[in-house]
Each structure stands twice: as structure tokens, then as C-alpha cells.
Amino acid sequence: MTEPTHSPLTDTESFDRFSLPDASGRFGPYGGSFVPETLSHPLRELTNAYGKAKADPAFQEELDLLLRTFAGRPTELYFAKRLTKRLGGAKIYLKREDLLHTGAHKINNALGQALLAKRMGKQRIIAETGAGQHGIATASVCAHFGFDCVIYMGAEDMRRQALNVFRMRLSGAEVRGVETGSKTLKEAINEAMRDWVTNVRSTHYILGSALGAHPYPGMVRDFHKIIGEETKRQFLHAEGKLPDEMIACVGGGSNAIGFFFDFLEEPSVRLTGVEAGGRSLEQGDHAARFEGGKLGILQGCKTWILQNPDGQINPTHSVSAGLDYAAIGPEHAFYKDRGRIGYANVGDEEALEAFKMLSSEEGILPALETSHGLALGFRRATELPKEQAICINLSGRGDKDAMEAARLMGVSGLPEMKIQ
Ligand SMILES: *Cc1c(COP(=O)(O)O)cnc(C)c1O
């Protein structure tokens, strides 16, 4: 595990979190829109439509209603009493995004973008998925709206996540396997972009994290910032103060930026993102972009990327598919430079230990992605005094990972599922 570096903000350095991204989609030197001509038109159309929707109270009202009735918001803030006692230090609170419909925070964004697509008069939705969580959220939302839905998924991921493929198909989605390259998430995104260019009149592309070309990173953040807004209210109610530290795992960065956003201008609250440390910090063994990454451009966005000296994207590894991606969202890169958010990484083994610990101490099975944030939070809880309190974003539930955990723990005799 690598420790985060923080240089906490002072009042004189304060800034306006709402001023980013700027009109060209930049977060300081990061972000932007580095795409071929054929994509710049649909992105401009999307930027305009989102700008109008954002300013329209009727859009927010309709989204709020869906978040409540379809997704299950607000989610609870839970005090992990037994775990706190066991670790013996700071109080541990969990923001329960795992209780949302389809099992993770991803539905916040899927609902927001689907509603936007409806406003834009689109009838068809496409999305990429890695492990399947974003695909399942999108397929479910499309069934609700009656949209045609195509999910692009790497053939290798389809093999590993056969049950999720079946769940998407049950919700009426067509799942298209992608056979190019490493047959995983990066290729699925490329294929979805290709589809979008060809079918842009009828189709909206629901990108699943705070990544990609403008307007996606800022828009996806906006759809998730409700996580932090609720947390602030709930935490003040529970403790009469703000948390001393907030911790979230970072894949593309959507659950983390949604959780942190309302606290960026609260200098007393330490914010820490946790990347996947994988098997080791050797190249190819992890997905810690701030550990081995460099500035570059991937899939429309300038940010920190794991790449070799020739600019070829490095292979990545993590026990959790949702953190296993070579680029990090541009807003994270910006706040890292400013020292406002600190970043650590946690390896496969420690994540699995945290997965087991939360399950046995509290009866809550977390996603393996989430377990990375939990592992750092547990360590922090032992270091900080009892008067302090930390809050960890429980981004998703672990049912989807039970098989993989069983395999890693050496449990035998479980059935395997294969799907074409
Ligand atoms: C997808 C996913 C993540 C990683 O994505 P971010 O965009 O970084 O939030 C984390 N946790 C869960 C449960 C996920 O499904």
C-alpha cells in the first residue's frame, strides 16, 4: 500500500468548484476533447443539450423523482459500530450506494443520461461495459424508458462475467462481444464510439465514468454529486460536524468525484482516492495511474495514463474489473496537482482482506472495487484517534464478486456459468 500525499488547502488557495470544466471542457491542463471530426458534431450537440437540461428545473425534478422511485435514493449513511470497536480508533461511517437498484452508484449516471437522451429525441442507447455493472445499470434504465439498447463488451469480459451478460439480456439489451485487442473495456469503448458516429441521429452513447471527451467528465460528475450532497446533510445530522476524512476507490473516478465534490471547498475535510495496486507496482501488474502513469491522451481526454515510452497503452491488472483501466478522470488529475485530493493505492490481497472483514464484522458484502477504499479506510481508522470520524463511499455491493472471491479464497465445488 502506498500512502497518499496531501498538502491541505489553505483559505487563500480556495477556488470555485463549479467553474470547472471551462467552456472547452478543460480542468486546467487536463480533459478537453481530442476526437476526430466525425465525433465533434455529436459531442457538440450533447454539450448544448446538457447545458439546456441543466438549467431547466423540470429536468432536475423529473430526475429527482426517478432517483427516488426507480433507483432508491436517498441512500443511508451507516455507522459501522462493530467494525469501529474492533479497529479501536476513528469512527467509521459508510455511505450506502450499494443499496441502490442494480447494486452500485452507476445508476445515478445512467438515469441522468437516459433522461437527457429522451429530451434529445433519441430512441436508441449504446454503452460500454467492463465487468458488467454499467451495462446492467444502462440495460435496466433502457427497459424503464423503452429504449433499444446495445451494450459493447470485450469478449474476454463476457467470458469472465457470464451471469452479468445474462442479466443484461433479461433486461432486453443486446450484448455485442468485441474481439479486438485485449478484448476488454478499452476495445469496448472504441467499438461504442464507432457505433455512435454511424448512428448519431437515433443514438445516445451513455459513457459510464467521469472520463472521455467533453462534456462527459463534467456531466457524469454532476449526475453523481448527489452522493456527496446527501452525505454532507446526513453526516452533520449524525455527528454535528463534517467528517475528518473521506475515502473512495477510483477507477475512472465517478463515484469518488461524486462523493467528494460537495466537500472540495471544505478545507478541514481530507479527501483520499484509492487506485488499484494490483499484484505489484511493476508495469502491467496494477492500475495505479498516479503511480506509474504519464500525461497523455486516451479516448478523447488528456489525463494520466499508464503507457510505455512510445505512447502505447500498457496492460493493466486488478482483482476488481471496475478499477482496471489505463486512464483516470481528468478532474482527479487536476485536484491531485492542487493537492486537494490525495491518492493512495491498495493491492489485490489487502482489498480481499477488507472484503472479508466488512462481510464478517457488519454483514455487508462490498464490491471488490469498493474494498480498495475500505482497506485504506480501515488502516486510517486504526491510526486516527477515537474523536475523529471517517466516511467511506460504499460504491457497490459484492454479490457480483462472490464467485471471484470464492476462487481467490480457494473454495471449490462452485458451479461455473458459460455463455455464448
Ligand atoms: C464501476 C465501479 C467502480 C469504478 O468506477 P468509478 O467511475 O471510478 O466510480 C467502483 N465501484 C463500483 C461498485 C463500480 O461498479
Side-chain angles (χ1 to χ4, degrees), residues 261-278:
F261 190 70
D262 218 34
F263 295 83
L264 285 165
E265 292 167 76
E266 302 283 2
S268 71
V269 183
R270 181 152 130 159
L271 304 175
T272 305
V274 184
E275 298 184 282

Side-chain angles (χ1 to χ4, degrees), residues 159-398:
R159 188 189 59 74
R160 289 190 290 202
Q161 301 287 340
L163 183 59
N164 281 345
V165 174
F166 182 59
R167 288 168 70 192
M168 286 182 256
R169 287 178 177 160
L170 277 177
S171 295
E174 179 191 337
V175 182
R176 289 190 189 160
V178 179
E179 297 281 356
T180 50
S182 61
K183 304 180 188 178
T184 58
L185 179 61
K186 181 163 62 71
E187 289 78 19
I189 297 178
N190 285 340
E191 214 48 51
M193 291 213 241
R194 209 161 293 147
D195 180 318
W196 199 29
V197 169
T198 317
N199 301 295
V200 64
R201 285 177 72 89
S202 66
T203 301
H204 173 64
Y205 174 21
I206 302 189
L207 187 69
S209 190
L211 276 171
H214 182 58
Y216 284 105
M219 178 172 69
V220 174
R221 173 205 68 201
D222 289 347
F223 288 137
H224 284 302
K225 71 182 169 57
I226 191 165
I227 306 172
E229 290 165 356
E230 285 176 10
T231 302
K232 198 179 229 179
R233 223 172 38 238
Q234 293 166 325
F235 207 94
L236 282 169
H237 183 73
E239 286 284 316
K241 62 167 190 176
L242 295 177
D244 294 283
E245 181 164 3
M246 296 172 65
I247 298 170
C249 64
V250 186
S254 69
N255 89 88
I257 201 69
F259 188 49
F260 294 158
F261 190 70
D262 218 34
F263 295 83
L264 285 165
E265 292 167 76
E266 302 283 2
S268 71
V269 183
R270 181 152 130 159
L271 304 175
T272 305
V274 184
E275 298 184 282
R279 283 182 293 256
S280 80
L281 289 178
E282 295 290 307
Q283 181 183 312
D285 270 1
H286 67 91
R289 288 67 46 105
F290 289 141
E291 204 57 45
K294 283 198 298 284
L295 191 59
I297 292 167
L298 182 61
Q299 288 168 334
C301 174
K302 189 186 250 186
T303 184
W304 286 62
I305 295 166
L306 290 165
Q307 57 190 336
N308 73 16
D310 302 330
Q312 292 288 103
I313 305 306
N314 282 345
T316 50
H317 162 80
S318 169
V319 68
S320 64
L323 303 185
D324 195 351
Y325 185 66
I328 191 164
E331 196 163 8
H332 286 278
F334 176 81
Y335 287 114
K336 180 189 194 292
D337 283 358
R338 289 205 59 138
R340 179 60 192 105
I341 306 177
Y343 293 85
N345 58 75
V346 159
D348 290 352
E349 262 175 52
E350 287 163 284
L352 188 64
E353 286 309 310
F355 173 89
K356 291 192 271 185
M357 172 106 103
L358 190 71
S359 302
S360 64
E361 292 298 314
E362 297 286 347
I364 299 170
L365 272 67
L368 282 172
E369 289 83 3
T370 314
S371 300
H372 289 72
L374 290 167
L376 186 81
F378 296 171
R379 166 188 270 229
R380 192 69 84 227
T382 63
E383 295 166 353
L384 296 174
K386 285 192 165 72
E387 303 73 54
Q388 296 207 358
I390 63 175
C391 188
I392 307 167
N393 194 28
L394 204 62
S395 55
R397 67 176 183 228

Side-chain angles (χ1 to χ4, degrees), residues 3-82:
E3 282 298 309
T5 46
H6 282 84
S7 44
L9 282 183
T10 63
D11 278 340
T12 53
E13 287 177 300
S14 70
F15 51 86
D16 175 11
R17 66 191 187 280
F18 291 104
S19 68
L20 295 173
D22 68 15
S24 56
R26 290 183 172 267
F27 301 85
Y30 306 109
S33 184
F34 298 86
V35 294
E37 193 59 37
T38 45
L39 265 176
S40 45
H41 169 69
L43 286 166
R44 238 189 341 266
E45 185 198 10
L46 181 60
T47 304
N48 291 338
Y50 178 58
K52 283 194 192 120
K54 200 174 163 177
D56 180 355
F59 178 78
Q60 241 341 294
E61 252 169 58
E62 197 175 351
L63 181 55
D64 286 348
L65 181 70
L66 279 169
L67 286 169
R68 201 169 70 236
T69 57
F70 189 69
R73 300 212 76 89
T75 61
E76 292 297 324
L77 178 72
Y78 171 77
F79 174 47
K81 193 169 158 194
R82 287 196 65 226

